[in-house]
């Protein structure tokens, strides 16, 4: 029994991505669908890769980081990939913490300015 394959349109719908995004992921070699004429089909391997790509994007990783990480699995195996993932995750957690701190500061400053403006308006 052959594996379930998704068409290009089904892949876009399943992962809620635009056709342009899916074609770009193929162009930069994150995905390698099988081709039958002009049609593209995506099997379990490509679906798993797409899940990892989208998860990586959600966590703020660059497409280049994701591409390198996916290649590592193919060339060096799971253990090397997991060690690299831990290093990348630690760096990204630090980056996200810094972004959160900057966002908290901006929100506090905006709230103070808003409150000051509202106070001036109520005195007028």
């Amino acid at each position: 029994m052959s594996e379930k394959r998704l068409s290009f349109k089904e892949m876009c719908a399943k992962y809620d991505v635009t056709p342009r995004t899916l074609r770009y992921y193929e162009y930069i070699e994150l995905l390698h669908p099988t081709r039958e004429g002009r049609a593209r089909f995506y099997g379990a391997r490509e679906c798993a890769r797409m899940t990892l790509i989208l998860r990586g994007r959600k966590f703020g990783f660059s497409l280049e980081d994701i591409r390198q990480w996916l290649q590592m699995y193919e060339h060096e195996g799971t253990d090397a990939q997991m060690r690299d993932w831990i290093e990348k995750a630690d760096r990204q957690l630090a980056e996200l913490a810094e972004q959160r701190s900057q966002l908290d500061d901006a929100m506090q400053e905006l709230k103070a300015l808003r409150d000051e403006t509202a106070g001036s308006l109520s005195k007028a």
Side-chain angles (χ1 to χ4, degrees):
M1 183 170 167
S2 65
E3 68 174 315
K4 169 73 172 126
R5 299 185 315 162
L6 299 177
S7 68
F8 185 85
K9 186 175 181 178
E10 290 169 330
M11 190 74 164
C12 289
K14 179 176 180 172
Y15 292 99
D16 193 26
V17 296
T18 64
R20 183 178 180 182
T21 296
L22 192 54
R23 282 191 294 273
Y24 183 68
Y25 289 171
E26 291 173 26
Y27 175 75
I28 63 172
E29 300 181 348
L30 291 175
L31 298 173
H32 306 281
T34 58
R35 293 179 185 268
E36 294 176 12
R38 291 182 48 109
R40 298 175 177 106
F41 294 97
Y42 305 82
R45 177 182 181 271
E46 299 312 304
C47 288
R49 289 173 71 94
M50 189 65 165
T51 298
L52 291 173
I53 292 164
L54 294 177
R55 190 175 292 158
R57 296 300 290 155
K58 176 183 175 184
F59 296 148
F61 290 102
S62 71
L63 288 174
E64 181 57 22
D65 281 343
I66 295 167
R67 188 186 65 74
Q68 289 174 7
W69 189 70
L70 291 172
Q71 280 185 332
M72 183 174 285
Y73 174 75
E74 293 173 6
H75 299 292
E76 299 178 41
T78 304
D79 287 348
Q81 186 188 39
M82 287 189 290
R83 280 191 292 279
D84 186 64
W85 167 249
I86 290 167
E87 289 175 25
K88 282 179 169 47
D90 286 345
R91 282 196 308 270
Q92 191 61 21
L93 285 166
E95 176 69 26
L96 290 172
E98 177 61 27
Q99 289 175 5
R100 177 190 285 170
S101 175
Q102 291 174 1
L103 187 58
D104 288 344
D105 290 347
M107 289 175 67
Q108 286 176 339
E109 188 176 336
L110 178 59
K111 184 178 182 324
L113 184 56
R114 181 235 175 254
D115 292 348
E116 181 182 316
T117 304
S120 295
L121 188 61
S122 66
K123 291 177 187 175

PDB file of all heavy atoms in Angstrom, residues 74-92:
ATOM      1  N   GLU A  74      20.099  14.731   7.520  1.00  0.00           N
ATOM      2  CA  GLU A  74      20.406  13.864   6.391  1.00  0.00           C
ATOM      3  C   GLU A  74      21.877  13.473   6.338  1.00  0.00           C
ATOM      4  O   GLU A  74      22.214  12.371   5.922  1.00  0.00           O
ATOM      5  CB  GLU A  74      20.002  14.549   5.084  1.00  0.00           C
ATOM      6  CG  GLU A  74      18.499  14.709   4.970  1.00  0.00           C
ATOM      7  CD  GLU A  74      18.075  15.526   3.764  1.00  0.00           C
ATOM      8  OE1 GLU A  74      18.945  15.879   2.930  1.00  0.00           O
ATOM      9  OE2 GLU A  74      16.878  15.812   3.663  1.00  0.00           O
ATOM     10  N   HIS A  75      22.773  14.360   6.770  1.00  0.00           N
ATOM     11  CA  HIS A  75      24.203  14.117   6.632  1.00  0.00           C
ATOM     12  C   HIS A  75      24.876  13.603   7.897  1.00  0.00           C
ATOM     13  O   HIS A  75      25.866  12.892   7.816  1.00  0.00           O
ATOM     14  CB  HIS A  75      24.915  15.389   6.155  1.00  0.00           C
ATOM     15  CG  HIS A  75      24.436  15.857   4.816  1.00  0.00           C
ATOM     16  ND1 HIS A  75      24.669  15.168   3.649  1.00  0.00           N
ATOM     17  CD2 HIS A  75      23.704  16.927   4.461  1.00  0.00           C
ATOM     18  CE1 HIS A  75      24.104  15.801   2.627  1.00  0.00           C
ATOM     19  NE2 HIS A  75      23.509  16.873   3.095  1.00  0.00           N
ATOM     20  N   GLU A  76      24.358  13.977   9.059  1.00  0.00           N
ATOM     21  CA  GLU A  76      25.047  13.627  10.306  1.00  0.00           C
ATOM     22  C   GLU A  76      24.197  12.810  11.270  1.00  0.00           C
ATOM     23  O   GLU A  76      24.693  12.325  12.270  1.00  0.00           O
ATOM     24  CB  GLU A  76      25.534  14.901  11.006  1.00  0.00           C
ATOM     25  CG  GLU A  76      26.523  15.687  10.165  1.00  0.00           C
ATOM     26  CD  GLU A  76      26.965  16.964  10.848  1.00  0.00           C
ATOM     27  OE1 GLU A  76      27.205  16.931  12.072  1.00  0.00           O
ATOM     28  OE2 GLU A  76      27.059  17.987  10.156  1.00  0.00           O
ATOM     29  N   GLY A  77      22.907  12.707  11.015  1.00  0.00           N
ATOM     30  CA  GLY A  77      22.055  11.875  11.852  1.00  0.00           C
ATOM     31  C   GLY A  77      21.336  12.636  12.956  1.00  0.00           C
ATOM     32  O   GLY A  77      21.532  13.822  13.167  1.00  0.00           O
ATOM     33  N   THR A  78      20.521  11.896  13.657  1.00  0.00           N
ATOM     34  CA  THR A  78      19.632  12.458  14.664  1.00  0.00           C
ATOM     35  C   THR A  78      20.365  13.067  15.851  1.00  0.00           C
ATOM     36  O   THR A  78      20.004  14.144  16.315  1.00  0.00           O
ATOM     37  CB  THR A  78      18.657  11.362  15.159  1.00  0.00           C
ATOM     38  OG1 THR A  78      17.972  10.830  14.027  1.00  0.00           O
ATOM     39  CG2 THR A  78      17.656  11.918  16.131  1.00  0.00           C
ATOM     40  N   ASP A  79      21.396  12.395  16.378  1.00  0.00           N
ATOM     41  CA  ASP A  79      22.095  12.918  17.560  1.00  0.00           C
ATOM     42  C   ASP A  79      22.725  14.286  17.288  1.00  0.00           C
ATOM     43  O   ASP A  79      22.587  15.212  18.086  1.00  0.00           O
ATOM     44  CB  ASP A  79      23.171  11.941  18.045  1.00  0.00           C
ATOM     45  CG  ASP A  79      22.578  10.710  18.731  1.00  0.00           C
ATOM     46  OD1 ASP A  79      21.364  10.716  19.032  1.00  0.00           O
ATOM     47  OD2 ASP A  79      23.332   9.749  18.958  1.00  0.00           O
ATOM     48  N   ALA A  80      23.411  14.410  16.159  1.00  0.00           N
ATOM     49  CA  ALA A  80      24.024  15.694  15.808  1.00  0.00           C
ATOM     50  C   ALA A  80      22.941  16.754  15.628  1.00  0.00           C
ATOM     51  O   ALA A  80      23.098  17.896  16.065  1.00  0.00           O
ATOM     52  CB  ALA A  80      24.853  15.551  14.534  1.00  0.00           C
ATOM     53  N   GLN A  81      21.842  16.362  15.016  1.00  0.00           N
ATOM     54  CA  GLN A  81      20.747  17.300  14.786  1.00  0.00           C
ATOM     55  C   GLN A  81      20.163  17.767  16.120  1.00  0.00           C
ATOM     56  O   GLN A  81      19.899  18.957  16.301  1.00  0.00           O
ATOM     57  CB  GLN A  81      19.664  16.634  13.936  1.00  0.00           C
ATOM     58  CG  GLN A  81      18.553  17.593  13.541  1.00  0.00           C
ATOM     59  CD  GLN A  81      17.400  16.882  12.860  1.00  0.00           C
ATOM     60  OE1 GLN A  81      17.036  15.778  13.255  1.00  0.00           O
ATOM     61  NE2 GLN A  81      16.832  17.515  11.857  1.00  0.00           N
ATOM     62  N   MET A  82      19.989  16.849  17.058  1.00  0.00           N
ATOM     63  CA  MET A  82      19.421  17.230  18.353  1.00  0.00           C
ATOM     64  C   MET A  82      20.365  18.126  19.134  1.00  0.00           C
ATOM     65  O   MET A  82      19.924  19.090  19.772  1.00  0.00           O
ATOM     66  CB  MET A  82      19.037  15.985  19.157  1.00  0.00           C
ATOM     67  CG  MET A  82      17.793  15.306  18.615  1.00  0.00           C
ATOM     68  SD  MET A  82      17.129  13.993  19.667  1.00  0.00           S
ATOM     69  CE  MET A  82      18.364  12.727  19.509  1.00  0.00           C
ATOM     70  N   ARG A  83      21.669  17.846  19.088  1.00  0.00           N
ATOM     71  CA  ARG A  83      22.645  18.720  19.773  1.00  0.00           C
ATOM     72  C   ARG A  83      22.611  20.126  19.177  1.00  0.00           C
ATOM     73  O   ARG A  83      22.602  21.119  19.906  1.00  0.00           O
ATOM     74  CB  ARG A  83      24.054  18.132  19.685  1.00  0.00           C
ATOM     75  CG  ARG A  83      24.320  17.027  20.698  1.00  0.00           C
ATOM     76  CD  ARG A  83      25.804  16.667  20.766  1.00  0.00           C
ATOM     77  NE  ARG A  83      26.272  16.017  19.547  1.00  0.00           N
ATOM     78  CZ  ARG A  83      26.115  14.725  19.261  1.00  0.00           C
ATOM     79  NH1 ARG A  83      25.503  13.937  20.119  1.00  0.00           N
ATOM     80  NH2 ARG A  83      26.563  14.227  18.124  1.00  0.00           N
ATOM     81  N   ASP A  84      22.563  20.201  17.849  1.00  0.00           N
ATOM     82  CA  ASP A  84      22.490  21.493  17.178  1.00  0.00           C
ATOM     83  C   ASP A  84      21.192  22.211  17.536  1.00  0.00           C
ATOM     84  O   ASP A  84      21.179  23.420  17.756  1.00  0.00           O
ATOM     85  CB  ASP A  84      22.600  21.308  15.662  1.00  0.00           C
ATOM     86  CG  ASP A  84      22.678  22.624  14.931  1.00  0.00           C
ATOM     87  OD1 ASP A  84      23.659  23.360  15.143  1.00  0.00           O
ATOM     88  OD2 ASP A  84      21.751  22.925  14.151  1.00  0.00           O
ATOM     89  N   TRP A  85      20.115  21.460  17.602  1.00  0.00           N
ATOM     90  CA  TRP A  85      18.812  22.039  17.958  1.00  0.00           C
ATOM     91  C   TRP A  85      18.865  22.669  19.345  1.00  0.00           C
ATOM     92  O   TRP A  85      18.370  23.768  19.551  1.00  0.00           O
ATOM     93  CB  TRP A  85      17.724  20.971  17.902  1.00  0.00           C
ATOM     94  CG  TRP A  85      16.452  21.409  18.534  1.00  0.00           C
ATOM     95  CD1 TRP A  85      15.906  20.947  19.684  1.00  0.00           C
ATOM     96  CD2 TRP A  85      15.556  22.428  18.075  1.00  0.00           C
ATOM     97  NE1 TRP A  85      14.736  21.604  19.962  1.00  0.00           N
ATOM     98  CE2 TRP A  85      14.500  22.515  18.984  1.00  0.00           C
ATOM     99  CE3 TRP A  85      15.560  23.275  16.966  1.00  0.00           C
ATOM    100  CZ2 TRP A  85      13.455  23.422  18.831  1.00  0.00           C
ATOM    101  CZ3 TRP A  85      14.515  24.166  16.817  1.00  0.00           C
ATOM    102  CH2 TRP A  85      13.480  24.231  17.739  1.00  0.00           C
ATOM    103  N   ILE A  86      19.480  22.011  20.290  1.00  0.00           N
ATOM    104  CA  ILE A  86      19.577  22.533  21.658  1.00  0.00           C
ATOM    105  C   ILE A  86      20.349  23.853  21.648  1.00  0.00           C
ATOM    106  O   ILE A  86      19.935  24.831  22.275  1.00  0.00           O
ATOM    107  CB  ILE A  86      20.223  21.503  22.604  1.00  0.00           C
ATOM    108  CG1 ILE A  86      19.249  20.327  22.823  1.00  0.00           C
ATOM    109  CG2 ILE A  86      20.602  22.135  23.943  1.00  0.00           C
ATOM    110  CD1 ILE A  86      19.881  19.116  23.480  1.00  0.00           C
ATOM    111  N   GLU A  87      21.464  23.895  20.911  1.00  0.00           N
ATOM    112  CA  GLU A  87      22.242  25.142  20.827  1.00  0.00           C
ATOM    113  C   GLU A  87      21.427  26.261  20.185  1.00  0.00           C
ATOM    114  O   GLU A  87      21.403  27.391  20.687  1.00  0.00           O
ATOM    115  CB  GLU A  87      23.520  24.911  20.016  1.00  0.00           C
ATOM    116  CG  GLU A  87      24.549  24.061  20.716  1.00  0.00           C
ATOM    117  CD  GLU A  87      25.741  23.761  19.821  1.00  0.00           C
ATOM    118  OE1 GLU A  87      26.012  24.554  18.879  1.00  0.00           O
ATOM    119  OE2 GLU A  87      26.415  22.745  20.062  1.00  0.00           O
ATOM    120  N   LYS A  88      20.753  25.947  19.093  1.00  0.00           N
ATOM    121  CA  LYS A  88      19.942  26.954  18.410  1.00  0.00           C
ATOM    122  C   LYS A  88      18.780  27.410  19.309  1.00  0.00           C
ATOM    123  O   LYS A  88      18.450  28.596  19.360  1.00  0.00           O
ATOM    124  CB  LYS A  88      19.394  26.403  17.092  1.00  0.00           C
ATOM    125  CG  LYS A  88      20.399  26.383  15.958  1.00  0.00           C
ATOM    126  CD  LYS A  88      19.773  25.793  14.697  1.00  0.00           C
ATOM    127  CE  LYS A  88      20.586  25.965  13.445  1.00  0.00           C
ATOM    128  NZ  LYS A  88      21.979  25.664  13.493  1.00  0.00           N
ATOM    129  N   ALA A  89      18.166  26.473  19.996  1.00  0.00           N
ATOM    130  CA  ALA A  89      17.046  26.813  20.878  1.00  0.00           C
ATOM    131  C   ALA A  89      17.512  27.713  22.017  1.00  0.00           C
ATOM    132  O   ALA A  89      16.827  28.683  22.364  1.00  0.00           O
ATOM    133  CB  ALA A  89      16.395  25.545  21.431  1.00  0.00           C
ATOM    134  N   ASP A  90      18.669  27.426  22.595  1.00  0.00           N
ATOM    135  CA  ASP A  90      19.192  28.271  23.673  1.00  0.00           C
ATOM    136  C   ASP A  90      19.439  29.697  23.176  1.00  0.00           C
ATOM    137  O   ASP A  90      19.085  30.671  23.849  1.00  0.00           O
ATOM    138  CB  ASP A  90      20.488  27.682  24.243  1.00  0.00           C
ATOM    139  CG  ASP A  90      20.256  26.457  25.110  1.00  0.00           C
ATOM    140  OD1 ASP A  90      19.095  26.213  25.520  1.00  0.00           O
ATOM    141  OD2 ASP A  90      21.231  25.719  25.362  1.00  0.00           O
ATOM    142  N   ARG A  91      20.040  29.810  21.990  1.00  0.00           N
ATOM    143  CA  ARG A  91      20.280  31.149  21.423  1.00  0.00           C
ATOM    144  C   ARG A  91      18.969  31.872  21.141  1.00  0.00           C
ATOM    145  O   ARG A  91      18.817  33.058  21.418  1.00  0.00           O
ATOM    146  CB  ARG A  91      21.108  31.051  20.135  1.00  0.00           C
ATOM    147  CG  ARG A  91      22.576  30.839  20.360  1.00  0.00           C
ATOM    148  CD  ARG A  91      23.405  31.122  19.114  1.00  0.00           C
ATOM    149  NE  ARG A  91      22.954  30.416  17.921  1.00  0.00           N
ATOM    150  CZ  ARG A  91      23.380  29.205  17.552  1.00  0.00           C
ATOM    151  NH1 ARG A  91      24.274  28.567  18.283  1.00  0.00           N
ATOM    152  NH2 ARG A  91      22.931  28.644  16.456  1.00  0.00           N
ATOM    153  N   GLN A  92      17.999  31.141  20.598  1.00  0.00           N
ATOM    154  CA  GLN A  92      16.722  31.769  20.266  1.00  0.00           C
ATOM    155  C   GLN A  92      15.953  32.163  21.519  1.00  0.00           C
ATOM    156  O   GLN A  92      15.301  33.208  21.546  1.00  0.00           O
ATOM    157  CB  GLN A  92      15.884  30.843  19.375  1.00  0.00           C
ATOM    158  CG  GLN A  92      14.671  31.504  18.782  1.00  0.00           C
ATOM    159  CD  GLN A  92      15.010  32.693  17.877  1.00  0.00           C
ATOM    160  OE1 GLN A  92      16.124  32.816  17.379  1.00  0.00           O
ATOM    161  NE2 GLN A  92      14.048  33.558  17.672  1.00  0.00           N
TER     162      GLN A  92
END
